[in-house]
Amino acid sequence: MRNKLKIVFSRMPITIVLLLIQLGWIGYIVLRLDGTTGWIKDVISWITIIVAIYIVSRRDNPAYKLIWILMLLALPVFGVLLYLLFGHSGVSRQIKKAFAKSDRQFEKYLYYDDDIVNELKTYDKQLYNTSRYITNTAKYPIYRNHYIKYHPLGDDGLADLLNELKKAQKFIFMEYFIVEPKGKVFSEILEVLEEKHKAGVDVRLMFDDIGSLPYVDKKCMAKLKQTGINFRRFNPVLPVLAAFMNNRDHRKITVIDGKVGFMGGYNLADEYANINCKFGHWKDTGVLIKGKAVDNLTAMFLGMWNVLAKGDTSYGTFFDNAKYDDTECKGYVQPYADTPLDKEHVGKNVYLNIIKTATDYVYMYTPYLIIDDEMISQLCLASMSGVDVRIVTPGIPDKKMVFMATKSYYPQLIEAGVRIYEYKPGFLHAKTFVSDDEVASVSSINLDFRSLYLHFESGVIMYCCDEIENIRKDFENTFEKSVEITKKDCDERGLLLRIMQSILRLFAPIL
């Protein structure tokens, strides 16, 4: 009984209840206004029209615009209020300026080598174009001859992460969407972080407050403070309706001494290591990077840290620590970050470039397949042009409604020749692309609207690296463990299911 009371009165349910009360109050006001006549009704109509024009004029995705226009037509007053609260990024000018300032600070510490760029351009102009796009928009350079190790499971990545943390001598930076303080994975990591902090290592931890909301309570916060470790919560959840709650820090990054970096899809929680997993076998992926390219990860972390800390950190010290010889490895690596603060959807465009430039094959892992017409058209075009396009989604979903929306995209893609697999052992959380044995991407970026448009994300793209072969082999092994979805499977859907999927697909941009 005591445990049940703790759950009921914990931060998450209380926050949800308070938000629902506010929505209910707004709904009550709307009902009262809806019954008015005369000039009040005219004002409401004009406000609705103005907001609709504003939505159409924005540089948002057409599918995103459509659902909000429909909401305005169906619920003139309530639709306007919902859009103001949830329909766009609510980042203030002050926050945007703070991020812009951080971006300008770290650029001078990153290593831009024109010889590497020109070398890639000579080798393959299409790969060069993708790399140049990332550098021009996200401001992260490309590096050559770096050690990179692919982790086909979160279990492997977290094991390597723990080992590398034990070797830290100067600093540890960790930025994750989810941390689970009471779990086995984070407990082991926290033990190492405490030891390193006591030994004089600069330890910093960031985590997203909504992502960690089910796991981090007051006791956990108090425990973290007792360790003395410097930590920050991104965008703390408040029981107040606010647009900025749309924007979350979905990155998964670790930097150790500026020499070793980790990126990928797994968080610091037990299910990512297949401990107490509710959805069968949990498949995730990640990479370990060694070399000067880790500077990009250091810059990503410090750029976010400075904004949350509301102060300036001296960058030079951390980048000075990263002066060492490049390792003898073939190929190029380019870690990068994506932000919702600009109008450039870097993660989406990197994915589109990989699909567009594929000539033989392109394989994809994604836990959620909720995509716009541009992505659908590119996937279908590639397949109908003779490219072997394959997508792997979960066999056991973590969110049933979202999975139902995911399956609504199957028929059109399958009819165009795209092969879709469901990972039968359990839930697939990986976000990995590989194409033509020449280019691969491992990231935190899902194929859904929230990751592509609203979240802070991170990823690494590899060109001509030896490790790309291991990524392709991982896909081939995964295909054998998965069930391919056929046109017959799609045709056998019941009428009620089709109707529900159509409705969910309409609302997919705001799921």
Side-chain angles (χ1 to χ4, degrees):
M1 185 63 183
R2 183 179 296 176
N3 290 333
K4 290 181 179 179
L5 288 173
K6 284 183 180 179
I7 293 173
V8 170
F9 291 101
S10 63
R11 192 162 61 108
M12 186 173 184
I14 289 175
T15 301
I16 292 172
V17 169
L18 291 174
L19 292 175
L20 289 174
I21 290 172
Q22 292 171 68
L23 280 173
W25 178 245
I26 291 172
Y28 171 75
I29 294 173
V30 168
L31 289 174
R32 294 293 300 270
L33 287 174
D34 194 45
T36 61
T37 58
W39 68 271
I40 295 179
K41 195 166 187 178
D42 291 338
V43 169
I44 291 170
S45 298
W46 277 108
I47 290 174
T48 302
I49 291 170
I50 292 169
V51 173
I53 293 172
Y54 171 74
I55 292 172
V56 171
S57 67
R58 284 177 61 85
R59 290 172 56 188
D60 286 331
N61 185 275
Y64 201 64
K65 294 179 182 180
L66 175 62
I67 183 58
W68 284 110
I69 293 295
L70 289 175
M71 290 280 282
L72 292 180
L73 292 174
L75 304 166
V77 181
F78 197 53
V80 170
L81 292 172
L82 286 178
Y83 178 74
L84 294 175
L85 290 169
F86 305 113
H88 59 96
S89 172
V91 181
S92 67
R93 290 183 180 181
Q94 184 179 1
I95 294 176
K96 288 182 179 180
K97 286 182 179 179
F99 274 103
K101 181 181 178 181
S102 284
D103 290 343
R104 289 192 298 270
Q105 281 178 305
F106 72 67
E107 277 185 46
K108 62 184 178 183
Y109 296 109
L110 298 180
Y111 182 64
Y112 295 85
D113 190 329
D114 289 335
D115 290 339
I116 295 175
V117 174
N118 292 328
E119 185 179 295
L120 182 62
K121 183 178 182 179
T122 302
Y123 175 78
D124 190 307
K125 184 65 183 300
Q126 290 183 329
L127 297 182
Y128 159 82
N129 287 342
T130 299
S131 172
R132 202 63 183 171
Y133 166 76
I134 294 172
T135 302
N136 288 340
T137 56
K139 309 301 182 185
Y140 292 99
I142 186 172
Y143 302 83
R144 176 180 53 202
N145 300 336
H146 275 47
Y147 175 84
I148 189 162
K149 178 182 178 182
Y150 174 69
H151 294 126
L153 288 174
D155 316 42
D156 306 322
L158 288 165
D160 275 359
L161 174 61
L162 192 63
N163 289 332
E164 293 294 338
L165 287 172
K166 294 175 181 178
K167 303 174 187 176
Q169 297 180 346
K170 296 179 180 178
F171 66 86
I172 297 172
F173 297 157
M174 306 186 80
E175 178 181 356
Y176 286 85
F177 182 60
I178 296 173
V179 298
E180 184 185 2
K182 297 178 183 178
K184 183 176 184 294
V185 166
F186 189 73
S187 295
E188 292 179 351
I189 290 173
L190 186 59
E191 185 177 340
V192 175
L193 297 182
E194 287 187 75
E195 291 176 0
K196 292 298 177 181
H197 171 69
K198 291 175 182 177
V201 174
D202 184 352
V203 180
R204 306 187 187 191
L205 171 67
M206 275 191 293
F207 57 88
D208 186 87
D209 201 35
I210 278 188
S212 302
L213 189 60
Y215 309 106
V216 179
D217 54 21
K218 290 182 179 180
K219 285 188 177 180
C220 294
M221 294 288 289
K223 183 179 178 181
L224 282 173
K225 289 178 180 178
Q226 287 176 359
T227 64
I229 293 171
N230 205 351
F231 73 94
R232 294 286 185 275
R233 290 182 295 160
F234 177 84
N235 199 358
V237 178
L238 300 174
V240 178
L241 294 173
F244 188 37
M245 291 300 167
N246 278 336
N247 304 116
R248 310 312 314 176
D249 184 1
H250 198 243
R251 297 173 184 170
K252 291 91 177 174
I253 298 171
T254 290
V255 186
I256 302 168
D257 294 342
K259 299 180 180 182
V260 179
F262 288 84
M263 304 181 78
Y266 55 83
N267 289 290
L268 306 183
D270 285 357
E271 58 192 357
Y272 297 88
N274 281 292
I275 302 171
N276 301 323
C277 184
K278 299 179 290 184
F279 309 106
H281 184 265
W282 189 290
K283 179 169 176 58
D284 220 322
T285 60
V287 292
L288 182 160
I289 305 170
K290 293 182 180 181
K292 193 68 176 171
V294 178
D295 280 355
N296 287 16
L297 277 70
T298 306
M300 291 177 208
F301 179 91
L302 287 174
M304 181 72 79
W305 182 270
N306 273 2
V307 175
L308 299 190
K310 298 180 180 179
D312 291 333
T313 294
S314 175
Y315 284 102
T317 304
F318 303 108
F319 291 96
D320 287 344
N321 289 336
K323 290 183 178 179
Y324 46 83
D325 295 331
D326 290 342
T327 55
E328 293 294 328
C329 291
K330 175 187 173 184
Y332 311 84
V333 297
Q334 190 169 18
Y336 67 93
D338 194 6
T339 169
L341 303 184
D342 56 23
K343 299 298 181 182
E344 196 62 40
H345 310 300
V346 178
K348 175 188 172 182
N349 290 331
V350 167
Y351 285 168
L352 284 172
N353 275 348
I354 293 174
I355 298 166
K356 288 176 182 177
T357 57
T359 57
D360 184 18
Y361 75 88
V362 57
Y363 301 154
M364 291 158 265
Y365 289 148
T366 182
Y368 316 115
L369 185 63
I370 299 176
I371 49 181
D372 61 15
D373 289 341
E374 184 181 12
M375 185 70 73
I376 293 171
S377 297
Q378 196 57 56
L379 289 167
C380 292
L381 177 60
S383 179
M384 291 187 290
S385 300
V387 178
D388 181 8
V389 182
R390 305 190 194 188
I391 304 172
V392 187
T393 63
I396 301 175
D398 66 335
K399 301 176 181 69
K400 291 184 179 180
M401 296 293 283
V402 176
F403 188 58
M404 192 180 296
T406 288
K407 292 169 79 72
S408 72
Y409 291 86
Y410 289 0
Q412 183 178 356
L413 295 172
I414 291 172
E415 286 176 9
V418 177
R419 300 178 68 181
I420 297 178
Y421 296 79
E422 290 181 355
Y423 181 65
K424 280 304 168 186
F427 183 64
L428 180 139
H429 189 256
K431 312 95 166 51
T432 302
F433 277 51
V434 65
S435 175
D436 296 346
D437 292 347
E438 285 203 331
V439 60
S441 167
V442 178
S443 73
S444 64
I445 308 168
N446 298 318
L447 278 173
D448 64 17
F449 283 81
R450 300 204 67 81
S451 268
L452 298 175
Y453 296 103
L454 293 175
H455 290 166
F456 292 85
E457 302 280 1
S458 61
V460 59
I461 188 164
M462 296 160 264
Y463 314 89
C464 312
C465 296
D466 295 333
E467 200 68 2
I468 291 175
E469 181 180 356
N470 290 330
I471 297 176
R472 176 179 54 78
K473 288 179 179 178
D474 179 47
F475 271 92
E476 291 171 351
N477 292 333
T478 302
F479 293 148
E480 294 178 1
K481 299 175 183 177
S482 305
V483 174
E484 184 170 3
I485 306 302
T486 65
K487 185 176 183 300
K488 182 181 178 182
D489 295 326
C490 297
D491 292 340
E492 289 178 349
R493 293 174 299 160
L495 178 61
L496 180 60
L497 178 58
R498 292 185 187 214
I499 294 172
M500 290 180 64
Q501 286 182 332
S502 297
I503 295 172
L504 285 172
R505 183 162 174 171
L506 176 65
F507 285 91
I510 58 175
L511 285 178

